[in-house]
Tab-separated table of all heavy atoms in Angstrom:
chain	number	residue	atom	x	y	z
A	173	TYR	N	14.192	-5.500	-10.566
A	173	TYR	CA	14.233	-4.016	-10.379
A	173	TYR	C	13.995	-3.538	-9.037
A	173	TYR	O	14.066	-2.239	-8.835
A	173	TYR	CB	13.303	-3.446	-11.429
A	173	TYR	CG	13.479	-3.937	-12.910
A	173	TYR	CD1	12.605	-4.703	-13.536
A	173	TYR	CD2	14.714	-3.555	-13.608
A	173	TYR	CE1	12.643	-5.039	-14.886
A	173	TYR	CE2	14.815	-4.027	-14.843
A	173	TYR	CZ	13.846	-4.612	-15.497
A	173	TYR	OH	14.034	-5.096	-16.765
A	174	GLU	N	13.582	-4.381	-8.132
A	174	GLU	CA	13.295	-3.955	-6.835
A	174	GLU	C	12.173	-2.978	-6.765
A	174	GLU	O	12.176	-1.984	-6.123
A	174	GLU	CB	14.551	-3.310	-6.016
A	174	GLU	CG	15.671	-4.254	-5.802
A	174	GLU	CD	16.805	-3.615	-5.091
A	174	GLU	OE1	16.722	-2.313	-4.976
A	174	GLU	OE2	17.722	-4.341	-4.589
A	175	ILE	N	11.100	-3.391	-7.468
A	175	ILE	CA	9.782	-2.654	-7.522
A	175	ILE	C	8.694	-3.498	-6.971
A	175	ILE	O	8.801	-4.787	-6.828
A	175	ILE	CB	9.429	-2.193	-9.006
A	175	ILE	CG1	8.957	-3.384	-9.823
A	175	ILE	CG2	10.639	-1.386	-9.557
A	175	ILE	CD1	8.411	-3.014	-11.057
A	176	ASN	N	7.653	-2.812	-6.549
A	176	ASN	CA	6.449	-3.532	-6.081
A	176	ASN	C	5.296	-3.334	-6.999
A	176	ASN	O	4.948	-2.049	-7.149
A	176	ASN	CB	6.185	-3.084	-4.545
A	176	ASN	CG	7.089	-3.601	-3.569
A	176	ASN	OD1	7.263	-4.895	-3.562
A	176	ASN	ND2	7.673	-2.878	-2.804
A	177	ILE	N	4.502	-4.277	-7.336
A	177	ILE	CA	3.332	-4.109	-8.100
A	177	ILE	C	2.196	-3.953	-7.024
A	177	ILE	O	1.866	-5.014	-6.338
A	177	ILE	CB	2.945	-5.354	-8.996
A	177	ILE	CG1	4.224	-5.659	-9.905
A	177	ILE	CG2	1.777	-5.090	-9.796
A	177	ILE	CD1	4.482	-4.490	-10.881
A	178	LEU	N	1.706	-2.805	-6.980
A	178	LEU	CA	0.610	-2.555	-5.975
A	178	LEU	C	-0.754	-3.035	-6.323
A	178	LEU	O	-1.653	-3.448	-5.598
A	178	LEU	CB	0.555	-1.077	-5.571
A	178	LEU	CG	1.892	-0.386	-5.150
A	178	LEU	CD1	1.717	1.059	-4.886
A	178	LEU	CD2	2.397	-1.143	-3.841
A	179	ALA	N	-0.936	-2.935	-7.666
A	179	ALA	CA	-2.296	-3.205	-8.172
A	179	ALA	C	-2.263	-3.421	-9.663
A	179	ALA	O	-1.419	-2.978	-10.345
A	179	ALA	CB	-3.394	-2.306	-7.837
A	180	ILE	N	-3.362	-4.165	-10.254
A	180	ILE	CA	-3.552	-4.088	-11.716
A	180	ILE	C	-4.866	-3.503	-11.991
A	180	ILE	O	-5.878	-3.986	-11.408
A	180	ILE	CB	-3.343	-5.540	-12.296
A	180	ILE	CG1	-1.965	-6.170	-12.115
A	180	ILE	CG2	-3.694	-5.624	-13.720
A	180	ILE	CD1	-1.873	-7.586	-12.445
A	181	LYS	N	-4.959	-2.597	-12.846
A	181	LYS	CA	-6.234	-1.943	-13.172
A	181	LYS	C	-6.606	-2.545	-14.619
A	181	LYS	O	-5.796	-2.433	-15.526
A	181	LYS	CB	-6.070	-0.513	-13.288
A	181	LYS	CG	-7.543	0.227	-13.582
A	181	LYS	CD	-7.381	1.728	-13.703
A	181	LYS	CE	-7.005	2.460	-12.433
A	181	LYS	NZ	-6.926	3.898	-12.533
A	182	HIS	N	-7.835	-3.116	-14.665
A	182	HIS	CA	-8.233	-3.600	-15.950
A	182	HIS	C	-9.004	-2.659	-16.726
A	182	HIS	O	-9.417	-1.652	-16.374
A	182	HIS	CB	-9.151	-4.868	-15.566
A	182	HIS	CG	-8.396	-6.013	-14.821
A	182	HIS	ND1	-7.261	-6.658	-15.243
A	182	HIS	CD2	-8.532	-6.402	-13.526
A	182	HIS	CE1	-6.804	-7.486	-14.342
A	182	HIS	NE2	-7.560	-7.281	-13.263
A	183	SER	N	-9.358	-3.091	-18.003
A	183	SER	CA	-9.999	-2.141	-18.978
A	183	SER	C	-11.369	-1.791	-18.614
A	183	SER	O	-11.897	-0.737	-18.943
A	183	SER	CB	-10.026	-2.836	-20.404
A	183	SER	OG	-10.685	-4.037	-20.299
A	184	ASP	N	-12.005	-2.626	-17.755
A	184	ASP	CA	-13.450	-2.352	-17.248
A	184	ASP	C	-13.357	-1.277	-16.147
A	184	ASP	O	-14.420	-1.042	-15.525
A	184	ASP	CB	-14.117	-3.614	-16.954
A	184	ASP	CG	-13.432	-4.366	-15.873
A	184	ASP	OD1	-12.440	-3.993	-15.273
A	184	ASP	OD2	-13.872	-5.472	-15.477
A	185	GLY	N	-12.166	-0.977	-15.682
A	185	GLY	CA	-12.035	0.115	-14.655
A	185	GLY	C	-11.864	-0.563	-13.266
A	185	GLY	O	-11.648	0.114	-12.228
A	186	LYS	N	-12.043	-1.809	-13.112
A	186	LYS	CA	-11.864	-2.561	-11.872
A	186	LYS	C	-10.420	-2.662	-11.504
A	186	LYS	O	-9.580	-2.948	-12.443
A	186	LYS	CB	-12.461	-3.913	-11.917
A	186	LYS	CG	-14.040	-3.867	-12.055
A	186	LYS	CD	-14.677	-5.280	-12.137
A	186	LYS	CE	-16.201	-5.245	-12.148
A	186	LYS	NZ	-16.742	-6.522	-12.197
A	187	MET	N	-10.045	-2.522	-10.340
A	187	MET	CA	-8.727	-2.596	-9.834
A	187	MET	C	-8.485	-3.791	-8.929
A	187	MET	O	-9.312	-3.936	-7.858
A	187	MET	CB	-8.290	-1.309	-9.164
A	187	MET	CG	-6.830	-1.263	-8.694
A	187	MET	SD	-6.331	0.324	-7.937
A	187	MET	CE	-6.336	1.360	-9.402
A	188	ASN	N	-7.560	-4.597	-9.163
A	188	ASN	CA	-7.264	-5.772	-8.397
A	188	ASN	C	-6.007	-5.422	-7.502
A	188	ASN	O	-4.906	-5.429	-8.036
A	188	ASN	CB	-7.018	-6.880	-9.366
A	188	ASN	CG	-6.642	-8.223	-8.553
A	188	ASN	OD1	-6.663	-8.227	-7.338
A	188	ASN	ND2	-6.443	-9.283	-9.288
A	189	VAL	N	-6.301	-5.230	-6.300
A	189	VAL	CA	-5.108	-4.921	-5.246
A	189	VAL	C	-4.374	-5.994	-4.749
A	189	VAL	O	-3.370	-5.935	-4.018
A	189	VAL	CB	-5.695	-3.918	-4.214
A	189	VAL	CG1	-6.078	-2.593	-4.712
A	189	VAL	CG2	-6.670	-4.698	-3.357
A	190	THR	N	-4.880	-7.192	-5.180
A	190	THR	CA	-4.192	-8.468	-4.738
A	190	THR	C	-4.040	-9.361	-5.984
A	190	THR	O	-4.632	-10.441	-5.986
A	190	THR	CB	-4.938	-9.222	-3.606
A	190	THR	OG1	-6.239	-9.472	-3.984
A	190	THR	CG2	-4.912	-8.452	-2.330
A	191	PRO	N	-3.237	-8.859	-6.965
A	191	PRO	CA	-3.198	-9.593	-8.167
A	191	PRO	C	-2.591	-11.020	-8.053
A	191	PRO	O	-1.680	-11.291	-7.397
A	191	PRO	CB	-2.159	-8.746	-9.130
A	191	PRO	CG	-1.455	-7.901	-8.013
A	191	PRO	CD	-2.351	-7.607	-6.877
A	192	ASP	N	-3.138	-11.908	-8.932
A	192	ASP	CA	-2.680	-13.323	-8.849
A	192	ASP	C	-1.246	-13.233	-9.657
A	192	ASP	O	-1.247	-12.934	-10.834
A	192	ASP	CB	-3.661	-14.134	-9.697
A	192	ASP	CG	-3.271	-15.634	-9.750
A	192	ASP	OD1	-2.055	-15.875	-9.318
A	192	ASP	OD2	-4.082	-16.377	-10.211
A	193	PRO	N	-0.222	-13.767	-8.968
A	193	PRO	CA	1.057	-13.676	-9.643
A	193	PRO	C	1.175	-14.648	-10.843
A	193	PRO	O	1.981	-14.368	-11.763
A	193	PRO	CB	2.044	-14.235	-8.557
A	193	PRO	CG	1.186	-14.958	-7.588
A	193	PRO	CD	-0.209	-14.309	-7.579
A	194	ASN	N	0.216	-15.594	-11.024
A	194	ASN	CA	0.282	-16.392	-12.199
A	194	ASN	C	-0.635	-16.005	-13.364
A	194	ASN	O	-0.750	-16.465	-14.396
A	194	ASN	CB	-0.131	-17.796	-11.740
A	194	ASN	CG	0.896	-18.465	-10.844
A	194	ASN	OD1	1.986	-18.535	-11.153
A	194	ASN	ND2	0.440	-18.836	-9.666
A	195	ALA	N	-1.515	-14.918	-13.029
A	195	ALA	CA	-2.424	-14.463	-14.092
A	195	ALA	C	-1.607	-13.639	-15.225
A	195	ALA	O	-0.662	-13.013	-14.975
A	195	ALA	CB	-3.358	-13.460	-13.472
A	196	LYS	N	-2.079	-13.874	-16.491
A	196	LYS	CA	-1.382	-13.263	-17.517
A	196	LYS	C	-1.829	-11.808	-17.780
A	196	LYS	O	-3.086	-11.510	-17.588
A	196	LYS	CB	-1.752	-14.053	-18.902
A	196	LYS	CG	-1.434	-15.524	-18.755
A	196	LYS	CD	0.038	-15.895	-18.700
A	196	LYS	CE	0.420	-17.279	-18.795
A	196	LYS	NZ	1.753	-17.618	-18.617
A	197	LEU	N	-0.876	-10.941	-18.078
A	197	LEU	CA	-1.277	-9.466	-18.351
A	197	LEU	C	-1.758	-9.406	-19.775
A	197	LEU	O	-1.226	-9.926	-20.684
A	197	LEU	CB	0.002	-8.667	-18.177
A	197	LEU	CG	0.596	-8.670	-16.760
A	197	LEU	CD1	1.839	-7.868	-16.654
A	197	LEU	CD2	-0.348	-8.093	-15.662
A	198	SER	N	-2.719	-8.386	-19.901
A	198	SER	CA	-3.241	-8.121	-21.233
A	198	SER	C	-2.816	-6.730	-21.605
A	198	SER	O	-2.392	-5.918	-20.918
A	198	SER	CB	-4.765	-8.256	-21.220
A	198	SER	OG	-5.298	-7.183	-20.531
Side-chain angles (χ1 to χ4, degrees):
Y173 305 115
E174 296 184 349
I175 70 169
N176 284 306
I177 305 296
L178 303 179
I180 297 176
K181 186 184 288 187
H182 301 294
S183 57
D184 59 3
K186 293 181 179 179
M187 183 176 290
N188 184 356
V189 295
T190 56
D192 181 351
N194 295 305
K196 306 293 184 181
L197 296 174
S198 74

